[in-house]
Amino acid sequence: MPPTPHPQDPDDSRVPPDGSAPDDLVYEHGPGRRAYYAARQRRTDLTALAQLALALPSFLTSALVVLLVGGLLEYGAGVPFWIPAAFWLVSGALVFHRPTEDLLARHLFGLRRPMPREAARLEPVWREVTAVAGIDGSRYRLWVEDSDGLNALAAAGHIVGVTRYALERLSSRRLAAVLAHELGHHTGGHAWSLLLCHWYGLPGRLVRRVLRTLAALAVTPSRCAVYAAGGVLLLALGGLDSTATRILYGLPLLLALPYLSAAVGRRAELRADRHAAVLGFAPDLAEVLEALHEDERPTHTSVPARLLATHPDVPTRLHHLRAYL
């Protein structure tokens, strides 16, 4: 049963609703009210561990690239080769540094801080969701994406973003369901593990991208040597990826790695859905998903494309929510 609403409290920060976004959420944890936080604010579930395990070949490729760069710096400038490697290893901690997270939110994810009116609507809903979950919501930073689509994201260690459309058009309970889903990504460790996978795989991806760009340019006799060297290096990196994967997991997993990574991403979404459902937002999340499904254009995707999708389709998500409705 839903909790019994309290009488109007002068400390309650509810915003008078407009016609498009009714304030239908019962606020049990307004300012000045006691909230009980769980002793363990975060955990690392099997999905997050699987993300890290499947990224190990990419980590090894990037480590080789960093060591090669370190060797070139030592040969050309006398810089000890271990300094770039040590900096690269320690740099992962910067992903969870608040100023670095702000830069990522603004320049990588295209987010902005909420306007006063947006904050007045978003913050009470977020405070209620985190209090119900036993999480200290003040540890996270709320962001807004200027988009007319219905979407939200959780990234790094403390980033929670929603689109302007979701903020303006969703009812408070539906908005709370979306935020509870994103909170599930944080408390399950999905957000930080995924970002670490991308961060530590970045050197290898950059080298491959540069080499592919060079290979796409028009070949002239004067550049043949450069392209030949680049092609050899690209083949070497690809060989390292495959060799590392074979050594770590065996040849069958080498062929299945993209599909396994996508399957882990889909499992992370279902776990985040379950997190929102356990908090009591299953009906509201189902309504949001149904609205998403109605807005989607029907497309016929191939079986490999469906297996490579990082998000499950809406009917699958609704099927898993059915037990909580």
Side-chain angles (χ1 to χ4, degrees), residues 89 170 256 287:
L89 288 174
L170 291 182
E287 292 172 359

Side-chain angles (χ1 to χ4, degrees), residues 13-159:
S13 56
R14 280 180 288 184
V15 179
D18 56 23
S20 59
D23 190 8
D24 53 357
L25 181 64
V26 176
Y27 295 87
E28 290 282 337
H29 302 88
R33 293 177 181 152
R34 184 183 298 274
Y36 296 93
Y37 299 142
R40 192 176 180 184
Q41 294 283 293
R42 292 175 184 264
R43 66 184 188 278
T44 303
D45 63 20
L46 292 177
T47 303
L49 294 176
Q51 288 175 337
L52 295 173
L54 292 175
L56 281 178
S58 179
F59 291 170
L60 294 178
T61 303
S62 294
L64 176 63
V65 171
V66 173
L67 289 175
L68 289 175
V69 171
L72 293 175
L73 289 176
E74 185 174 23
Y75 178 78
V79 179
F81 79 95
W82 58 267
I83 291 182
F87 177 78
W88 175 67
L89 288 174
V90 176
S91 65
L94 293 176
V95 175
F96 308 103
H97 184 230
R98 292 302 181 93
T100 305
E101 284 190 346
D102 291 349
L103 292 175
L104 292 175
R106 289 190 174 94
H107 302 292
L108 181 62
F109 302 116
L111 305 176
R112 61 169 174 80
R113 296 309 300 271
M115 299 292 186
R117 180 178 177 83
E118 294 170 333
R121 168 155 170 74
L122 182 59
E123 290 174 357
V125 178
W126 174 250
R127 182 168 55 246
E128 187 66 25
V129 169
T130 54
V132 171
I135 301 298
D136 184 3
S138 63
R139 297 185 177 184
Y140 298 87
R141 290 197 176 178
L142 301 174
W143 298 84
V144 175
E145 178 186 358
D146 285 317
S147 171
D148 293 330
L150 175 56
N151 198 12
L153 65 90
H158 309 90
I159 296 174

Side-chain angles (χ1 to χ4, degrees), residues 217-228:
L217 298 175
V219 177
T220 61
S222 61
R223 295 177 179 174
C224 284
V226 176
Y227 291 139

